[in-house]
């Protein structure tokens, strides 16, 4: 009974998040800085990729984009986001997107990371409606909170999904 309630709860959240995407005007981005600025906006965003984005390997941070608050929508639109580098131990490292708030990813495209492609904390709901998530070192995605997977593929050196105290509803 408890599992059914949790599934119902996340289904309602999914429906609500799909309707609220119209609240913020869609912005098409083609550069890393524009993508970072849009997704790190505390008021939320509705972002569509207009080109593949490769974060420079000398960016100098473990995490390229940190989503800390707001309701965010990212349409990969057939393009890719890539961020990885080799650290001092000569291992792949770097996380393209860290989500600590609500994030919905739609469309086809690939997010490639060194450590993981997408890391989700225990704050907010992550909904994946498409995309390929590839990690060169660890797992495709690291989940520490609630996540709904409706569509998508995941791959990494140590597996597809690293479930670390989170909960995944896999509808795919």
């Amino acid at each position: 009974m408890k599992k059914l309630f949790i599934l119902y709860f996340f289904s309602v959240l999914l429906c609500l998040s799909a309707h609220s995407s119209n609240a913020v005007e869609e912005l098409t981005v083609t550069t890393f800085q524009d993508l970072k600025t849009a997704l790190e906006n505390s008021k939320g965003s509705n972002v569509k990729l207009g080109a593949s984005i490769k974060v420079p390997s000398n960016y100098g941070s473990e995490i390229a984009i940190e989503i800390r608050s707001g309701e965010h929508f990212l349409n990969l639109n057939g393009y890719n986001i890539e961020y990885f580098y080799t650290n001092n131990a000569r291992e792949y490292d770097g996380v393209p997107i860290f989500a600590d708030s609500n994030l919905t990813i739609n469309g086809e495209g690939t997010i490639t990371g060194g450590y993981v492609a997408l890391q989700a904390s225990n704050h907010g709901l992550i909904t994946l409606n498409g995309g390929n998530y590839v990690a060169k070192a660890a797992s495709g995605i690291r989940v520490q909170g609630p996540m709904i997977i409706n569509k998508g593929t995941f791959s990494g050196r140590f597996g597809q999904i690293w479930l670390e105290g989170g909960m995944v509803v896999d509808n795919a």
Side-chain angles (χ1 to χ4, degrees):
M1 182 69 152
K2 185 177 179 181
K3 289 181 182 181
L4 287 175
F5 173 76
I6 292 172
L7 183 58
Y8 172 76
F9 175 75
F10 284 117
S11 297
V12 170
L13 285 176
L14 176 63
C15 290
L16 291 174
S17 68
H19 293 295
S20 63
S21 68
N22 297 329
V24 178
E25 186 176 328
E26 184 176 74
L27 172 67
T28 301
V29 299
T30 58
T31 68
F32 166 63
Q33 194 55 51
D34 289 344
L35 178 63
K36 181 175 176 62
T37 299
L39 289 177
E40 290 184 349
N41 182 348
S42 63
K43 295 179 182 177
S45 65
N46 187 359
V47 180
K48 179 179 178 181
L49 293 183
S52 289
I53 295 176
K54 184 173 183 176
V55 181
S57 61
N58 63 350
Y59 178 63
S61 178
E62 172 88 17
I63 299 169
I65 298 170
E66 295 185 52
I67 302 170
R68 294 291 180 182
S69 61
E71 181 85 14
H72 297 272
F73 298 87
L74 173 60
N75 181 347
L76 296 175
N77 196 29
Y79 293 105
N80 306 317
I81 299 171
E82 181 179 291
Y83 180 52
F84 62 87
Y85 59 91
T86 305
N87 62 22
N88 291 339
R90 292 184 287 192
E91 301 165 328
Y92 283 114
D93 211 341
V95 177
I97 298 175
F98 172 81
D100 196 30
S101 184
N102 295 344
L103 172 64
T104 300
I105 300 178
N106 298 308
E108 298 303 317
T110 301
I111 299 177
T112 303
Y115 190 64
V116 295
L118 173 65
Q119 181 173 337
S121 79
N122 60 356
H123 301 105
L125 172 66
I126 310 303
T127 305
L128 303 179
N129 296 320
N132 302 309
Y133 304 87
V134 179
K136 294 186 168 284
S139 300
I141 56 175
R142 181 178 180 186
V143 182
Q144 296 170 310
M147 177 176 284
I148 297 173
I149 301 171
N150 294 317
K151 186 176 179 185
T153 61
F154 313 93
S155 63
R157 183 173 168 207
F158 296 121
Q160 300 170 339
I161 297 174
W162 176 2
L163 187 58
E164 186 180 7
M167 184 176 81
V168 174
V169 177
D170 187 354
N171 296 323

